[in-house]
Amino acid sequence: AFRAPGEEDPDHLPLAMGMDVVAGLASSRLAARLLRGEESVHGVSGHVMGSAAGVSPGFVVADVAEGSDPRAVALAVVEEMGRVAREGVTADDMATVATDSERAWLSSLAHADQRADVLGHFATLRGGAHRAWEWLDDVGSVTAEQVQAAAERWWQPGAFEVLVFEPQEETR
């Protein structure tokens, strides 16, 4: 878990897109490394939530495979986030995130109840319902350099809290 900026902060969207590269998509770096490569997890996902102002929570969740070391998985997560801060993301990474964002966005607008939620969110928290129609343009305008700069600011060593939940045997 880590702290991220509120939605109106200029670092929010680039950081969220960086998280998609790290753990938010099926093609993410952690899915490739931990799920398909090492096979040390059953699944991995990540997300930067959006708060209207102030601080937003961000997280990576990994379902560690039996026999794998949760600490090694946690170190891999922090390492991949640090790699984005140090080395940035590629043009292919950015194109993948933009494509997935567009697919998810159009899907969320396809149903009337979800569309109402989206428009209500933008109307109350983002400066007006009309901003919803500009969101994909916002995604498309984020550069790889902005992703790296946001990661450098927010994903510093020591800025993470690792929580490990281990199953307990039932006692009666």
Side-chain angles (χ1 to χ4, degrees):
F2 58 93
R3 293 167 52 116
E7 280 191 41
E8 290 302 310
D9 188 289
D11 279 347
H12 181 82
L13 185 55
L15 200 64
M17 292 175 74
M19 179 49 62
D20 282 347
V21 171
V22 172
L25 306 176
S27 61
S28 73
R29 293 177 182 184
L30 284 172
R33 178 177 173 176
L34 300 176
L35 182 65
R36 293 186 298 279
E38 298 173 9
E39 298 182 357
S40 58
V41 300
H42 296 297
V44 63
S45 63
H47 185 67
V48 175
M49 297 179 76
S51 295
V55 176
S56 297
F59 57 87
V60 175
V61 176
D63 180 8
V64 180
E66 190 171 329
S68 295
D69 181 5
R71 286 171 288 289
V73 169
L75 287 173
V77 168
V78 173
E79 182 180 298
E80 290 298 331
M81 291 173 74
R83 189 162 69 107
V84 169
R86 286 187 316 279
E87 300 171 16
V89 296
T90 67
D92 285 345
D93 290 332
M94 295 297 290
T96 299
V97 169
T99 299
D100 186 75
S101 295
E102 182 174 359
R103 180 206 52 77
W105 185 245
L106 294 174
S107 177
S108 73
L109 295 176
H111 301 284
D113 59 338
Q114 291 176 328
R115 189 176 322 121
D117 286 344
V118 168
L119 293 173
H121 171 83
F122 277 86
T124 57
L125 302 174
R126 303 291 304 273
H130 70 282
R131 291 277 297 127
W133 310 120
E134 300 165 357
W135 188 78
L136 284 178
D137 294 334
D138 294 346
V139 169
S141 70
V142 173
T143 66
E145 293 77 19
Q146 289 171 308
V147 170
Q148 183 178 6
E152 283 178 324
R153 279 188 285 281
W154 291 90
W155 293 347
Q156 291 297 315
F160 311 100
E161 188 64 39
V162 177
L163 308 169
V164 177
F165 298 96
E166 297 183 15
Q168 302 293 313
E169 288 186 31
E170 279 190 44
T171 57
R172 292 194 183 238

